[in-house]
Amino acid sequence: MARTATLSLLLFLVFATPAYPQASKLNRAVRTAENLEPSIPLLEQARETERKLAELRRTTGKRPNIVWIIVDDMGYGDPGCYGGGKAVGADTPVMDRLAREGLRLTSCYSQHTCTPTRSAILTGRLPVRTGLIRPILAGDTLTVNPWDGETSVAKILGDAGYYSLLTGKWHIGEGEGMRPHEVGFDEYYGYLPAQKEITQALDTRRYPDLTLDADKLERYESIGAEHALIHGFSMGDTKTVSTVKSLEEMGAADEQLIDFSVKRITELAKGEKPFFLEHCFMKVHTDNFANPKYKGLSASKYAYKDSLCEVDLLIGRLVKALDDAGVLENTFVFVTSDNGPQMDAWPDAGHTPFRGAKGTTWEGGVRVPGIAYWKGMILPGRVSDGVFDLMDLFNTAVHLAGADAELPREVYIDGIDQTAFLLHDEGESNRECVFFWWKSELTALRMREYKWHQKVLLPQSTFMHIDMAVLQDVGTAPWLFNLYIDPKEELPVGHRRNAWLASLGAEAKAHLMTFKKYPPKKVGL
C-alpha cells in the first residue's frame, strides 16, 4: 500500500499540469491538482512514514483514532513548554509532558478568531472561501447556510468507517442545518455559542446595564441564542440536557464535558470502528468563572490562570482515558488553541510573547501552541519550526483514514497533508506558505522565516486589538519582517536587508489568483 501511494504521488508530480505557474524562485512547493494548495514534495520522508503506518495497521487491524483538543483563546505563551506555566503563575504539567513525549511545533498557525479557525480545520478551507469570516453572534442574520456546499472532515471520516464525535464549544452556526451532528458528526454533546455569550445575561457585575434592565434583558433573550447543553445525533433527535442558570454552572461545564468524552472514549474503544473525537473546551475564553472544585488552583489565583490549570488537568484525564481503554498507541492526539489570547479582556486573558493578539494577523493573534502526540509513533522530544497551518489537520486526518480520494474536487482546499512531517523522526514541513486573512482582506503571509504584511491591525490603546483597533494599508511598500531575528515584528527589513520582498509579493498575487476559479462565498457576515 505504501509503495502504491508513493507511485501515485510520483505520477502526479511528473504529469500534473499546474493551473497556476510557480509564483517565485523561493517557492519549493508543487501543485498536484488545480484545487489543492501546493506542497513541498519530500518523497523519502513520505515513503518511510507510509511504511510506519502500514506496520501499525498490521498490528492493530484498523485505522488510527484521531483526537483533536482545542482550547479556546489560549495564548502561545501560556503552557510551560512554550515559556509560560510556572513562570506566569499557571503550571501546565500535562501539556508540558505531552510536548516532551511528542512533537512541539513552534510555528503553528490559526486564523485570527475562533469561528474562522474552527471552520477552517473542519473544512480545510480558508474562512474567506466558506464565508465564515468572523464569529456568528447573537442577533446575526445569515443569508445562507454557510455549510451548504462544504464537506466536513467528520463527513469524510464517517464515510471511511469512523465514528465521529464533537464535545464542547461549536460556534460555527446555531440554526438547524448548521449544528455539528447535521454537518457530518455522528454525535454532538456541548454548547453551541462561546462561553461569554452564555454568561453575560447572568453576570450583574460585568453587564449591569443588561441584567438589571428588564426591558433590555427581555429583548436580549428574545434573540433566541442557545444557552443550553445539548446532545444530538446525526440520525436522531436533538435534546436539551440542561440550561445554564448560574455562573457556577458555567464554571463547572468543562469538567462535565470531559466526563462525557471520557465515557464515550471508554465505550468507543470497545467497538470495531476507529473514532474521531474533537474535544473543544469552553475555557479559557472570557468570561472565565471558577469551577467550584478548582477555585484558586493556580499560583496566580486569577480566574484565567485557574481556568488554564483546570484545562491542563482535564486534558490529562482525556489522555488517561485513552490509555486506560488500551488505544493510546493507536491514537493521534493534537493539542492547540483556536487563536491567540483575547487581550481586550485583560486580566481575564492569556499571554503571547509576540506582537498583537486575537483579532489581528500579527504573530500574537495567529501563532498558537501545537503539540502532536502519538505514543510509539512520534519520536519523543521533537521540536520543529516547520510551518504548520491548523487547516493541515483536515488533510492529515483524511490521509490517516485512508480517504485521500474523497477530498472535495469542486472547491479549493487550502490544507496540506502533513502526516509525514508529524510522524517521521526527522520530519520536515510540507507547507511553503501560510496566508493570513482578516475577514475578507488578505493582510499577510509567512514563507520560511519571512512575514510579509500589506495591511495591519493597529490598536489605539493598550491591549485593544479588537474593540479599539484600525485596519490600515502599510504605505509605499509591504512590511517584511525576518521572524528569526525579529519575532516581535518591530522593524521591517524589506528594501534594506532582504532580497525577497518582490518574491513574497508574487506569492500573494498567485494566492489571490485561486479565487478567480474558486470565488469566495457570502453568507451575510
Side-chain angles (χ1 to χ4, degrees):
M1 185 178 294
R3 184 176 180 181
T4 302
T6 302
L7 179 60
S8 298
L9 176 58
L10 284 168
L11 290 173
F12 260 128
L13 296 176
V14 172
F15 295 110
T17 302
Y20 317 102
Q22 189 177 38
S24 73
K25 293 296 184 181
L26 187 62
N27 196 322
R28 299 162 293 179
V30 174
R31 187 182 298 279
T32 58
E34 186 179 58
N35 74 316
L36 298 182
E37 184 68 10
S39 61
I40 302 170
L42 300 167
L43 300 183
E44 186 54 38
Q45 175 175 290
R47 287 191 196 98
E48 289 188 26
T49 302
E50 289 307 307
R51 286 195 290 268
K52 195 173 184 180
L53 286 168
E55 179 59 32
L56 182 68
R57 282 197 297 276
R58 283 192 291 271
T59 302
T60 62
K62 60 180 178 181
R63 293 279 175 176
N65 306 306
I66 299 167
V67 176
W68 297 348
I69 300 172
I70 315 294
V71 186
D72 202 354
D73 289 3
M74 177 173 67
Y76 183 96
D78 281 335
C81 52
Y82 285 89
K86 287 184 178 180
V88 294
D91 197 11
T92 55
V94 174
M95 284 186 274
D96 298 350
R97 177 177 66 82
L98 294 177
R100 285 195 309 272
E101 298 177 2
L103 166 62
R104 179 168 61 90
L105 299 173
T106 61
S107 288
C108 178
Y109 287 98
S110 68
Q111 305 298 314
H112 67 289
T113 53
C114 50
T115 294
T117 295
R118 291 165 192 273
S119 66
I121 64 174
L122 287 173
T123 62
R125 283 161 47 75
L126 281 164
V128 68
R129 298 193 196 275
T130 64
L132 289 160
I133 58 175
R134 66 165 176 80
I136 302 172
L137 303 174
D140 276 335
T141 301
L142 299 180
T143 54
V144 297
N145 181 347
W147 285 95
D148 287 348
E150 301 296 335
T151 304
S152 73
V153 68
K155 173 66 167 60
I156 296 175
L157 266 57
D159 291 344
Y162 277 68
Y163 187 89
S164 58
L165 165 68
L166 193 146
T167 305
K169 176 182 173 178
W170 175 240
H171 214 198
I172 323 178
E174 297 182 25
E176 288 191 21
M178 304 180 196
R179 298 173 294 187
H181 51 296
E182 296 164 337
V183 300
F185 283 93
D186 292 301
E187 185 177 3
Y188 172 59
Y189 185 88
Y191 298 90
L192 294 170
Q195 190 160 265
K196 174 182 179 292
E197 293 171 51
I198 297 173
T199 59
Q200 55 195 7
L202 302 170
D203 189 353
T204 297
R205 183 168 183 176
R206 281 179 168 92
Y207 309 97
D209 56 324
L210 172 63
T211 61
L212 300 179
D213 188 317
D215 177 65
K216 287 179 186 173
L217 186 58
E218 181 181 359
R219 292 176 183 277
Y220 176 77
E221 291 176 344
S222 71
I223 294 171
E226 182 65 77
H227 294 163
L229 173 63
I230 68 169
H231 194 184
F233 294 87
S234 60
M235 302 300 290
D237 295 331
T238 302
K239 67 177 182 179
T240 297
V241 177
S242 61
T243 301
V244 177
K245 296 179 180 177
S246 71
L247 302 179
E248 289 74 21
E249 286 180 46
M250 190 77 259
D254 273 309
E255 186 170 34
Q256 184 176 358
L257 294 168
I258 282 288
D259 288 344
F260 182 82
S261 283
V262 166
K263 173 177 174 288
R264 292 300 284 130
I265 286 172
T266 304
E267 295 166 347
L268 292 169
K270 296 174 183 176
E272 295 298 318
K273 288 185 172 185
F275 59 84
F276 166 49
L277 166 64
E278 182 180 358
H279 186 98
C280 299
F281 283 94
M282 303 300 292
K283 292 174 176 173
V284 285
H285 188 295
T286 187
D287 297 320
N288 281 284
F289 298 98
N291 182 333
K293 288 175 58 176
Y294 300 119
K295 195 168 187 178
L297 183 63
S298 70
S300 161
K301 309 306 178 189
Y302 276 77
Y304 179 90
K305 305 289 187 174
D306 284 355
S307 294
L308 182 64
C309 287
E310 181 191 359
V311 163
D312 186 75
L313 184 153
L314 296 178
I315 291 173
R317 285 192 55 200
L318 204 61
V319 176
K320 183 177 185 299
L322 293 167
D323 199 9
D324 290 346
V327 296
L328 191 59
E329 288 82 359
N330 197 34
T331 303
F332 168 63
V333 178
F334 196 91
V335 182
T336 190
S337 174
D338 60 350
N339 45 245
Q342 186 173 327
M343 295 308 299
D344 296 65
W346 187 90
D348 191 13
H351 168 67
T352 178
F354 304 114
R355 182 174 184 173
K358 176 182 177 180
T360 78
T361 52
W362 295 106
E363 292 290 286
V366 292
R367 201 193 294 204
V368 294
I371 301 169
Y373 173 82
W374 191 344
K375 186 176 181 180
M377 290 292 284
I378 293 179
L379 182 69
R382 282 182 60 205
V383 179
S384 176
D385 194 48
V387 176
F388 187 92
D389 192 303
L390 290 183
M391 287 187 293
D392 299 343
L393 289 172
F394 174 91
N395 301 64
T396 301
V398 168
H399 184 73
L400 290 174
D404 298 277
E406 304 308 314
L407 283 172
R409 298 177 183 178
E410 68 282 359
V411 297
Y412 194 90
I413 301 297
D414 298 280
I416 288 172
D417 174 22
Q418 296 269 39
T419 305
F421 170 39
L422 300 177
L423 300 189
H424 191 280
D425 288 353
E426 298 176 354
E428 297 178 19
S429 176
N430 296 98
R431 177 173 283 279
E432 188 69 284
C433 294
V434 177
F435 298 96
F436 303 103
W437 288 74
W438 185 83
K439 297 184 179 180
S440 56
E441 300 276 356
L442 176 63
T443 57
L445 70 86
R446 175 170 174 177
M447 187 174 185
R448 304 197 190 195
E449 68 266 38
Y450 305 126
K451 181 82 173 287
W452 174 101
H453 296 258
Q454 66 174 0
K455 293 176 183 287
V456 290
L457 267 294
L458 298 178
Q460 303 303 293
S461 186
T462 304
F463 293 160
M464 291 289 101
H465 299 284
I466 298 175
D467 285 343
M468 197 176 176
V470 176
L471 180 68
Q472 181 175 309
D473 292 329
V474 295
T476 304
W479 294 357
L480 191 156
F481 301 91
N482 183 326
L483 296 177
Y484 282 170
I485 62 172
D486 183 14
K488 291 189 176 183
E489 300 172 283
E490 293 179 311
L491 188 63
V493 295
H495 281 93
R496 297 178 299 105
R497 298 182 66 91
N498 194 280
W500 300 109
L501 184 63
S503 295
L504 269 66
E507 297 293 339
K509 290 178 183 177
H511 173 64
L512 290 171
M513 285 289 291
T514 66
F515 288 85
K516 288 196 172 183
K517 181 167 183 179
Y518 303 97
K521 287 182 354 191
K522 303 291 185 183
V523 302
L525 292 178

